[in-house]
Amino acid sequence: GFTPAVGSEVVVTGFVDYYAPQGRISLRVEKIEPVGAGALELEFRRLCEELRGLGYFAPERKRPLPAFAARIAVVTSRTGAALQDVIDTCRRRSPHIEVCLIDVLVQGAAAAPAVAAAVEWVSANAARLEIDTLIVTRGGGSMEDLWAFNDRRVAEAIVRCSIPVAAAIG
């Protein structure tokens, strides 16, 4: 899935062969990967193009936000600054809005499946819980810290969600 260009910084995995009779040395490459953030950036762009091709970003797919939401669900970590930002903004701008926290991991290998499952749970229970809108949020960090939100499972859960979703990542 990756073809390096001239000047690309890469990590090559493989082994060296030495053929003694002719004094030949060969590098047998098993894998080539771009270095550092470049690898994540390439993966992000690849995923965006794939999802764009599936129509995930099409304007007609987006559900309009309610003019006067009464109850919103917030998928984030209970200990993160992002939750406090949402609560503070709601208190200042629309104190009537009830905020329901869905506490999830927002970083690490387990974060993407947790976020996707939380979005699916809210979608399935939105009518019963009278939730108007879902906010998926996390504060800033490095690209690696935020990577869970660039996961296909999260995108699919958001696309299938029964209510409008707003994302506020990083």
Side-chain angles (χ1 to χ4, degrees), residues 11-67:
V11 174
V12 177
T13 306
F15 57 94
V16 176
D17 262 349
Y18 176 68
Y19 186 64
Q22 295 179 353
R24 277 187 144 165
I25 298 175
S26 299
L27 174 62
R28 302 221 180 209
V29 176
E30 294 177 338
K31 183 167 67 170
I32 301 176
E33 298 176 293
V35 170
L40 291 178
E41 181 68 25
L42 287 172
E43 175 58 21
F44 176 71
R45 288 179 189 210
R46 185 204 59 76
L47 179 61
C48 284
E49 286 305 311
E50 181 182 346
L51 299 180
R52 186 172 285 108
L54 294 170
Y56 281 26
F57 304 143
E60 60 272 10
R61 183 183 285 274
K62 294 182 181 184
R63 292 169 297 282
L65 295 171

Short mmCIF file of all heavy atoms in Angstrom, two decimals, residues 11-67:
data_model
loop_
_atom_site.label_atom_id
_atom_site.label_comp_id
_atom_site.label_asym_id
_atom_site.label_seq_id
_atom_site.Cartn_x
_atom_site.Cartn_y
_atom_site.Cartn_z
N VAL A 11 11.36 3.15 6.67
CA VAL A 11 11.91 2.06 7.47
C VAL A 11 11.73 0.81 6.63
O VAL A 11 10.62 0.49 6.18
CB VAL A 11 11.16 1.90 8.82
CG1 VAL A 11 11.66 0.67 9.56
CG2 VAL A 11 11.32 3.15 9.67
N VAL A 12 12.84 0.12 6.40
CA VAL A 12 12.83 -1.09 5.58
C VAL A 12 13.08 -2.29 6.48
O VAL A 12 14.02 -2.29 7.27
CB VAL A 12 13.91 -1.02 4.48
CG1 VAL A 12 13.94 -2.29 3.66
CG2 VAL A 12 13.66 0.19 3.58
N THR A 13 12.22 -3.28 6.36
CA THR A 13 12.37 -4.52 7.12
C THR A 13 12.68 -5.64 6.14
O THR A 13 12.02 -5.76 5.10
CB THR A 13 11.07 -4.86 7.89
OG1 THR A 13 10.71 -3.74 8.68
CG2 THR A 13 11.25 -6.07 8.77
N GLY A 14 13.67 -6.44 6.46
CA GLY A 14 14.04 -7.55 5.59
C GLY A 14 15.28 -8.23 6.11
O GLY A 14 15.55 -8.22 7.32
N PHE A 15 16.06 -8.80 5.21
CA PHE A 15 17.29 -9.46 5.62
C PHE A 15 18.32 -9.36 4.50
O PHE A 15 17.98 -9.09 3.35
CB PHE A 15 17.04 -10.92 6.01
CG PHE A 15 16.39 -11.74 4.92
CD1 PHE A 15 17.17 -12.49 4.04
CD2 PHE A 15 15.01 -11.76 4.77
CE1 PHE A 15 16.59 -13.24 3.04
CE2 PHE A 15 14.43 -12.52 3.77
CZ PHE A 15 15.21 -13.26 2.90
N VAL A 16 19.56 -9.54 4.89
CA VAL A 16 20.67 -9.45 3.95
C VAL A 16 21.10 -10.87 3.56
O VAL A 16 21.26 -11.74 4.41
CB VAL A 16 21.86 -8.69 4.58
CG1 VAL A 16 23.05 -8.67 3.64
CG2 VAL A 16 21.43 -7.28 4.95
N ASP A 17 21.26 -11.07 2.26
CA ASP A 17 21.79 -12.34 1.73
C ASP A 17 23.22 -12.10 1.24
O ASP A 17 23.50 -11.06 0.65
CB ASP A 17 20.97 -12.79 0.51
CG ASP A 17 19.91 -13.81 0.84
OD1 ASP A 17 19.91 -14.33 1.97
OD2 ASP A 17 19.07 -14.07 -0.05
N TYR A 18 24.08 -13.07 1.51
CA TYR A 18 25.44 -12.98 1.01
C TYR A 18 25.72 -14.25 0.22
O TYR A 18 25.59 -15.37 0.72
CB TYR A 18 26.44 -12.83 2.17
CG TYR A 18 27.87 -12.82 1.70
CD1 TYR A 18 28.36 -11.76 0.95
CD2 TYR A 18 28.73 -13.88 1.98
CE1 TYR A 18 29.67 -11.74 0.50
CE2 TYR A 18 30.04 -13.87 1.54
CZ TYR A 18 30.50 -12.80 0.80
OH TYR A 18 31.81 -12.79 0.36
N TYR A 19 26.10 -14.08 -1.05
CA TYR A 19 26.44 -15.20 -1.90
C TYR A 19 27.96 -15.18 -2.09
O TYR A 19 28.51 -14.39 -2.87
CB TYR A 19 25.70 -15.08 -3.23
CG TYR A 19 25.87 -16.28 -4.13
CD1 TYR A 19 25.40 -17.54 -3.76
CD2 TYR A 19 26.52 -16.14 -5.35
CE1 TYR A 19 25.56 -18.62 -4.60
CE2 TYR A 19 26.69 -17.23 -6.20
CZ TYR A 19 26.21 -18.47 -5.82
OH TYR A 19 26.37 -19.56 -6.64
N ALA A 20 28.65 -16.05 -1.32
CA ALA A 20 30.11 -16.04 -1.24
C ALA A 20 30.83 -16.26 -2.57
O ALA A 20 31.81 -15.55 -2.85
CB ALA A 20 30.58 -17.06 -0.21
N PRO A 21 30.43 -17.22 -3.40
CA PRO A 21 31.20 -17.47 -4.62
C PRO A 21 31.36 -16.23 -5.51
O PRO A 21 32.38 -16.07 -6.16
CB PRO A 21 30.39 -18.55 -5.35
CG PRO A 21 29.65 -19.27 -4.27
CD PRO A 21 29.35 -18.21 -3.25
N GLN A 22 30.36 -15.38 -5.56
CA GLN A 22 30.47 -14.18 -6.40
C GLN A 22 30.69 -12.92 -5.57
O GLN A 22 30.82 -11.83 -6.13
CB GLN A 22 29.21 -14.02 -7.25
CG GLN A 22 29.03 -15.15 -8.25
CD GLN A 22 27.75 -14.97 -9.05
OE1 GLN A 22 26.94 -14.10 -8.78
NE2 GLN A 22 27.57 -15.82 -10.05
N GLY A 23 30.67 -13.06 -4.26
CA GLY A 23 30.84 -11.89 -3.39
C GLY A 23 29.67 -10.92 -3.47
O GLY A 23 29.83 -9.72 -3.30
N ARG A 24 28.49 -11.45 -3.73
CA ARG A 24 27.30 -10.61 -3.89
C ARG A 24 26.54 -10.45 -2.57
O ARG A 24 26.37 -11.41 -1.83
CB ARG A 24 26.31 -11.25 -4.87
CG ARG A 24 26.60 -11.00 -6.28
CD ARG A 24 25.45 -11.54 -7.06
NE ARG A 24 25.22 -10.68 -8.19
CZ ARG A 24 24.49 -11.01 -9.20
NH1 ARG A 24 23.88 -12.17 -9.21
NH2 ARG A 24 24.35 -10.19 -10.20
N ILE A 25 26.10 -9.26 -2.35
CA ILE A 25 25.24 -8.99 -1.19
C ILE A 25 23.91 -8.48 -1.73
O ILE A 25 23.87 -7.59 -2.59
CB ILE A 25 25.88 -7.93 -0.26
CG1 ILE A 25 27.20 -8.47 0.30
CG2 ILE A 25 24.91 -7.55 0.85
CD1 ILE A 25 27.95 -7.45 1.12
N SER A 26 22.83 -9.05 -1.22
CA SER A 26 21.49 -8.62 -1.61
C SER A 26 20.69 -8.26 -0.37
O SER A 26 20.80 -8.92 0.66
CB SER A 26 20.74 -9.76 -2.33
OG SER A 26 21.41 -10.14 -3.49
N LEU A 27 19.89 -7.22 -0.51
CA LEU A 27 18.95 -6.86 0.55
C LEU A 27 17.58 -7.33 0.11
O LEU A 27 17.06 -6.88 -0.90
CB LEU A 27 18.95 -5.34 0.77
CG LEU A 27 17.92 -4.81 1.76
CD1 LEU A 27 18.15 -5.37 3.16
CD2 LEU A 27 17.94 -3.28 1.79
N ARG A 28 17.03 -8.26 0.86
CA ARG A 28 15.70 -8.79 0.57
C ARG A 28 14.68 -8.05 1.43
O ARG A 28 14.65 -8.24 2.65
CB ARG A 28 15.64 -10.27 0.83
CG ARG A 28 16.68 -11.00 0.00
CD ARG A 28 16.13 -12.24 -0.53
NE ARG A 28 17.12 -12.91 -1.32
CZ ARG A 28 16.81 -13.68 -2.32
NH1 ARG A 28 15.56 -13.88 -2.62
NH2 ARG A 28 17.76 -14.26 -3.01
N VAL A 29 13.90 -7.22 0.80
CA VAL A 29 12.96 -6.35 1.50
C VAL A 29 11.61 -7.05 1.66
O VAL A 29 11.05 -7.55 0.69
CB VAL A 29 12.79 -5.01 0.75
CG1 VAL A 29 11.74 -4.14 1.41
CG2 VAL A 29 14.12 -4.29 0.64
N GLU A 30 11.15 -7.08 2.90
CA GLU A 30 9.83 -7.67 3.18
C GLU A 30 8.77 -6.59 3.36
O GLU A 30 7.60 -6.81 3.07
CB GLU A 30 9.90 -8.54 4.43
CG GLU A 30 10.77 -9.77 4.24
CD GLU A 30 10.90 -10.60 5.50
OE1 GLU A 30 10.69 -10.07 6.60
OE2 GLU A 30 11.23 -11.78 5.36
N LYS A 31 9.20 -5.42 3.87
CA LYS A 31 8.22 -4.37 4.14
C LYS A 31 8.91 -3.01 4.09
O LYS A 31 10.03 -2.87 4.54
CB LYS A 31 7.60 -4.61 5.52
CG LYS A 31 6.52 -3.64 5.90
CD LYS A 31 5.71 -4.09 7.11
CE LYS A 31 6.49 -4.09 8.37
NZ LYS A 31 5.69 -4.29 9.58
N ILE A 32 8.21 -2.03 3.50
CA ILE A 32 8.67 -0.64 3.49
C ILE A 32 7.56 0.21 4.07
O ILE A 32 6.41 0.13 3.64
CB ILE A 32 8.98 -0.15 2.06
CG1 ILE A 32 10.05 -1.00 1.40
CG2 ILE A 32 9.40 1.31 2.08
CD1 ILE A 32 10.32 -0.63 -0.05
N GLU A 33 7.94 1.04 5.06
CA GLU A 33 6.95 1.92 5.70
C GLU A 33 7.51 3.33 5.77
O GLU A 33 8.70 3.51 6.02
CB GLU A 33 6.66 1.46 7.13
CG GLU A 33 6.05 0.09 7.23
CD GLU A 33 5.88 -0.33 8.67
OE1 GLU A 33 6.92 -0.52 9.34
OE2 GLU A 33 4.73 -0.42 9.12
N PRO A 34 6.64 4.33 5.59
CA PRO A 34 7.11 5.70 5.78
C PRO A 34 7.41 5.94 7.26
O PRO A 34 6.83 5.30 8.13
CB PRO A 34 5.94 6.56 5.30
CG PRO A 34 4.76 5.66 5.33
CD PRO A 34 5.26 4.26 5.19
N VAL A 35 8.29 6.85 7.54
CA VAL A 35 8.73 7.12 8.91
C VAL A 35 7.78 8.08 9.62
O VAL A 35 7.27 9.01 9.02
CB VAL A 35 10.16 7.71 8.90
CG1 VAL A 35 10.56 8.23 10.26
CG2 VAL A 35 11.14 6.67 8.42
N GLY A 36 7.57 7.83 10.90
CA GLY A 36 6.90 8.76 11.82
C GLY A 36 5.53 9.20 11.41
O GLY A 36 4.71 8.42 10.94
N ALA A 37 5.25 10.50 11.60
CA ALA A 37 3.94 11.06 11.33
C ALA A 37 3.57 10.89 9.87
O ALA A 37 2.40 10.86 9.53
CB ALA A 37 3.90 12.53 11.71
N GLY A 38 4.55 10.76 9.01
CA GLY A 38 4.27 10.53 7.59
C GLY A 38 3.45 9.28 7.38
O GLY A 38 2.54 9.26 6.55
N ALA A 39 3.72 8.24 8.14
CA ALA A 39 2.96 7.00 8.02
C ALA A 39 1.52 7.22 8.44
O ALA A 39 0.59 6.76 7.77
CB ALA A 39 3.61 5.91 8.87
N LEU A 40 1.32 7.92 9.54
CA LEU A 40 -0.05 8.18 10.00
C LEU A 40 -0.78 9.09 9.03
O LEU A 40 -1.96 8.89 8.73
CB LEU A 40 -0.02 8.81 11.39
CG LEU A 40 0.42 7.91 12.53
CD1 LEU A 40 0.43 8.68 13.84
CD2 LEU A 40 -0.47 6.69 12.64
N GLU A 41 -0.08 10.08 8.51
CA GLU A 41 -0.69 11.00 7.55
C GLU A 41 -1.13 10.25 6.30
O GLU A 41 -2.23 10.46 5.79
CB GLU A 41 0.29 12.12 7.19
CG GLU A 41 -0.26 13.13 6.22
CD GLU A 41 -1.38 13.98 6.77
OE1 GLU A 41 -1.45 14.16 8.00
OE2 GLU A 41 -2.20 14.46 5.96
N LEU A 42 -0.27 9.37 5.81
CA LEU A 42 -0.64 8.57 4.63
C LEU A 42 -1.83 7.67 4.91
O LEU A 42 -2.74 7.55 4.09
CB LEU A 42 0.55 7.73 4.17
CG LEU A 42 1.67 8.48 3.49
CD1 LEU A 42 2.87 7.56 3.26
CD2 LEU A 42 1.20 9.07 2.18
N GLU A 43 -1.86 7.05 6.08
CA GLU A 43 -2.99 6.18 6.44
C GLU A 43 -4.27 7.01 6.56
O GLU A 43 -5.34 6.60 6.11
CB GLU A 43 -2.71 5.46 7.76
CG GLU A 43 -3.86 4.65 8.28
CD GLU A 43 -4.39 3.58 7.34
OE1 GLU A 43 -3.67 3.15 6.42
OE2 GLU A 43 -5.55 3.17 7.52
N PHE A 44 -4.17 8.19 7.16
CA PHE A 44 -5.33 9.07 7.29
C PHE A 44 -5.87 9.46 5.92
O PHE A 44 -7.08 9.39 5.67
CB PHE A 44 -4.94 10.31 8.10
CG PHE A 44 -6.03 11.32 8.21
CD1 PHE A 44 -7.15 11.07 9.01
CD2 PHE A 44 -5.96 12.52 7.53
CE1 PHE A 44 -8.16 12.00 9.12
CE2 PHE A 44 -6.97 13.46 7.64
CZ PHE A 44 -8.07 13.20 8.43
N ARG A 45 -4.99 9.86 5.03
CA ARG A 45 -5.42 10.25 3.68
C ARG A 45 -6.04 9.08 2.93
O ARG A 45 -7.03 9.24 2.22
CB ARG A 45 -4.25 10.82 2.89
CG ARG A 45 -3.84 12.19 3.38
CD ARG A 45 -2.66 12.72 2.62
NE ARG A 45 -2.18 13.93 3.25
CZ ARG A 45 -1.61 14.90 2.61
NH1 ARG A 45 -1.41 14.81 1.31
NH2 ARG A 45 -1.19 15.97 3.25
N ARG A 46 -5.45 7.90 3.08
CA ARG A 46 -6.00 6.71 2.42
C ARG A 46 -7.41 6.43 2.92
O ARG A 46 -8.33 6.19 2.15
CB ARG A 46 -5.09 5.50 2.67
CG ARG A 46 -5.54 4.25 1.91
CD ARG A 46 -5.07 2.96 2.55
NE ARG A 46 -5.53 2.79 3.91
CZ ARG A 46 -6.77 2.42 4.26
NH1 ARG A 46 -7.69 2.23 3.36
NH2 ARG A 46 -7.10 2.27 5.54
N LEU A 47 -7.59 6.48 4.24
CA LEU A 47 -8.91 6.23 4.82
C LEU A 47 -9.91 7.29 4.38
O LEU A 47 -11.05 6.96 4.02
CB LEU A 47 -8.82 6.18 6.35
CG LEU A 47 -10.14 5.94 7.08
CD1 LEU A 47 -10.74 4.59 6.69
CD2 LEU A 47 -9.93 6.01 8.58
N CYS A 48 -9.50 8.55 4.37
CA CYS A 48 -10.41 9.61 3.92
C CYS A 48 -10.86 9.39 2.49
O CYS A 48 -12.05 9.55 2.17
CB CYS A 48 -9.75 10.98 4.06
SG CYS A 48 -9.68 11.58 5.75
N GLU A 49 -9.93 9.04 1.62
CA GLU A 49 -10.30 8.79 0.22
C GLU A 49 -11.26 7.60 0.10
O GLU A 49 -12.22 7.65 -0.66
CB GLU A 49 -9.05 8.56 -0.63
CG GLU A 49 -8.27 9.82 -0.90
CD GLU A 49 -9.13 10.91 -1.52
OE1 GLU A 49 -9.86 10.66 -2.51
OE2 GLU A 49 -9.09 12.04 -0.99
N GLU A 50 -11.00 6.57 0.87
CA GLU A 50 -11.89 5.40 0.85
C GLU A 50 -13.29 5.78 1.33
O GLU A 50 -14.29 5.44 0.70
CB GLU A 50 -11.30 4.30 1.74
CG GLU A 50 -12.14 3.04 1.78
CD GLU A 50 -11.55 1.99 2.72
OE1 GLU A 50 -10.37 2.12 3.13
OE2 GLU A 50 -12.28 1.05 3.03
N LEU A 51 -13.37 6.50 2.44
CA LEU A 51 -14.66 6.89 2.99
C LEU A 51 -15.37 7.90 2.10
O LEU A 51 -16.59 7.87 1.96
CB LEU A 51 -14.50 7.43 4.41
CG LEU A 51 -13.93 6.44 5.43
CD1 LEU A 51 -13.82 7.09 6.80
CD2 LEU A 51 -14.75 5.17 5.50
N ARG A 52 -14.60 8.78 1.48
CA ARG A 52 -15.18 9.74 0.52
C ARG A 52 -15.80 8.97 -0.64
O ARG A 52 -16.90 9.30 -1.09
CB ARG A 52 -14.12 10.72 0.03
CG ARG A 52 -14.66 11.82 -0.84
CD ARG A 52 -13.62 12.90 -1.16
NE ARG A 52 -13.42 13.73 0.03
CZ ARG A 52 -12.34 13.72 0.81
NH1 ARG A 52 -11.33 12.93 0.53
NH2 ARG A 52 -12.24 14.50 1.85
N GLY A 53 -15.10 7.95 -1.11
CA GLY A 53 -15.62 7.12 -2.20
C GLY A 53 -16.91 6.41 -1.83
O GLY A 53 -17.75 6.13 -2.68
N LEU A 54 -17.08 6.10 -0.55
CA LEU A 54 -18.30 5.46 -0.07
C LEU A 54 -19.42 6.46 0.21
O LEU A 54 -20.52 6.08 0.60
CB LEU A 54 -18.01 4.65 1.20
CG LEU A 54 -17.08 3.45 1.03
CD1 LEU A 54 -16.67 2.89 2.39
CD2 LEU A 54 -17.77 2.39 0.18
N GLY A 55 -19.12 7.75 0.04
CA GLY A 55 -20.12 8.79 0.25
C GLY A 55 -20.29 9.23 1.70
O GLY A 55 -21.23 9.94 2.03
N TYR A 56 -19.37 8.85 2.57
CA TYR A 56 -19.49 9.19 3.99
C TYR A 56 -19.46 10.69 4.24
O TYR A 56 -20.02 11.17 5.21
CB TYR A 56 -18.36 8.54 4.80
CG TYR A 56 -18.56 7.08 5.11
CD1 TYR A 56 -19.35 6.25 4.33
CD2 TYR A 56 -17.95 6.52 6.22
CE1 TYR A 56 -19.51 4.92 4.62
CE2 TYR A 56 -18.11 5.19 6.53
CZ TYR A 56 -18.89 4.39 5.72
OH TYR A 56 -19.06 3.07 6.03
N PHE A 57 -18.78 11.45 3.38
CA PHE A 57 -18.64 12.89 3.60
C PHE A 57 -19.61 13.70 2.75
O PHE A 57 -19.53 14.94 2.73
CB PHE A 57 -17.21 13.34 3.29
CG PHE A 57 -16.16 12.61 4.08
CD1 PHE A 57 -14.94 12.29 3.50
CD2 PHE A 57 -16.36 12.22 5.39
CE1 PHE A 57 -13.95 11.61 4.21
CE2 PHE A 57 -15.39 11.55 6.12
CZ PHE A 57 -14.18 11.25 5.53
N ALA A 58 -20.51 13.05 2.06
CA ALA A 58 -21.46 13.74 1.18
C ALA A 58 -22.36 14.66 2.01
O ALA A 58 -22.89 14.25 3.04
CB ALA A 58 -22.29 12.73 0.41
N PRO A 59 -22.53 15.89 1.58
CA PRO A 59 -23.36 16.85 2.33
C PRO A 59 -24.79 16.35 2.58
O PRO A 59 -25.35 16.59 3.64
CB PRO A 59 -23.37 18.10 1.45
CG PRO A 59 -22.17 17.98 0.58
CD PRO A 59 -21.93 16.50 0.39
N GLU A 60 -25.35 15.65 1.62
CA GLU A 60 -26.74 15.18 1.78
C GLU A 60 -26.86 14.09 2.85
O GLU A 60 -27.95 13.80 3.33
CB GLU A 60 -27.32 14.69 0.45
CG GLU A 60 -26.57 13.55 -0.20
CD GLU A 60 -25.43 13.99 -1.11
OE1 GLU A 60 -25.05 15.18 -1.12
OE2 GLU A 60 -24.89 13.11 -1.81
N ARG A 61 -25.76 13.50 3.24
CA ARG A 61 -25.78 12.47 4.28
C ARG A 61 -25.88 13.09 5.68
O ARG A 61 -26.34 12.46 6.62
CB ARG A 61 -24.51 11.62 4.19
CG ARG A 61 -24.48 10.48 5.20
CD ARG A 61 -23.19 9.71 5.13
NE ARG A 61 -23.09 8.84 4.00
CZ ARG A 61 -23.56 7.60 3.96
NH1 ARG A 61 -24.16 7.09 4.97
NH2 ARG A 61 -23.41 6.87 2.88
N LYS A 62 -25.45 14.32 5.81
CA LYS A 62 -25.41 14.97 7.12
C LYS A 62 -26.82 15.29 7.61
O LYS A 62 -27.65 15.78 6.87
CB LYS A 62 -24.56 16.24 7.06
CG LYS A 62 -23.11 15.95 6.78
CD LYS A 62 -22.29 17.21 6.77
CE LYS A 62 -20.85 16.86 6.46
NZ LYS A 62 -19.99 18.03 6.52
N ARG A 63 -27.04 15.00 8.89
CA ARG A 63 -28.32 15.31 9.51
C ARG A 63 -28.21 16.69 10.16
O ARG A 63 -27.23 16.97 10.85
CB ARG A 63 -28.67 14.24 10.55
CG ARG A 63 -28.98 12.89 9.90
CD ARG A 63 -29.06 11.75 10.91
NE ARG A 63 -27.82 11.49 11.63
CZ ARG A 63 -26.77 10.83 11.13
NH1 ARG A 63 -26.81 10.39 9.90
NH2 ARG A 63 -25.71 10.60 11.86
N PRO A 64 -29.22 17.54 9.97
CA PRO A 64 -29.12 18.88 10.56
C PRO A 64 -29.21 18.82 12.09
O PRO A 64 -29.94 18.00 12.65
CB PRO A 64 -30.32 19.62 9.96
CG PRO A 64 -31.26 18.55 9.54
CD PRO A 64 -30.43 17.34 9.20
N LEU A 65 -28.48 19.71 12.74
CA LEU A 65 -28.54 19.81 14.19
C LEU A 65 -29.87 20.45 14.57
O LEU A 65 -30.37 21.33 13.86
CB LEU A 65 -27.38 20.66 14.71
CG LEU A 65 -25.99 20.08 14.50
CD1 LEU A 65 -24.93 21.11 14.86
CD2 LEU A 65 -25.80 18.82 15.32
N PRO A 66 -30.47 20.05 15.68
CA PRO A 66 -31.74 20.66 16.10
C PRO A 66 -31.52 22.13 16.48
O PRO A 66 -30.47 22.48 17.04
CB PRO A 66 -32.17 19.82 17.30
CG PRO A 66 -30.94 19.15 17.78
CD PRO A 66 -30.02 19.00 16.60
N ALA A 67 -32.50 22.96 16.20
CA ALA A 67 -32.40 24.38 16.54
C ALA A 67 -32.35 24.58 18.05
O ALA A 67 -31.63 25.45 18.55
CB ALA A 67 -33.57 25.14 15.93
#
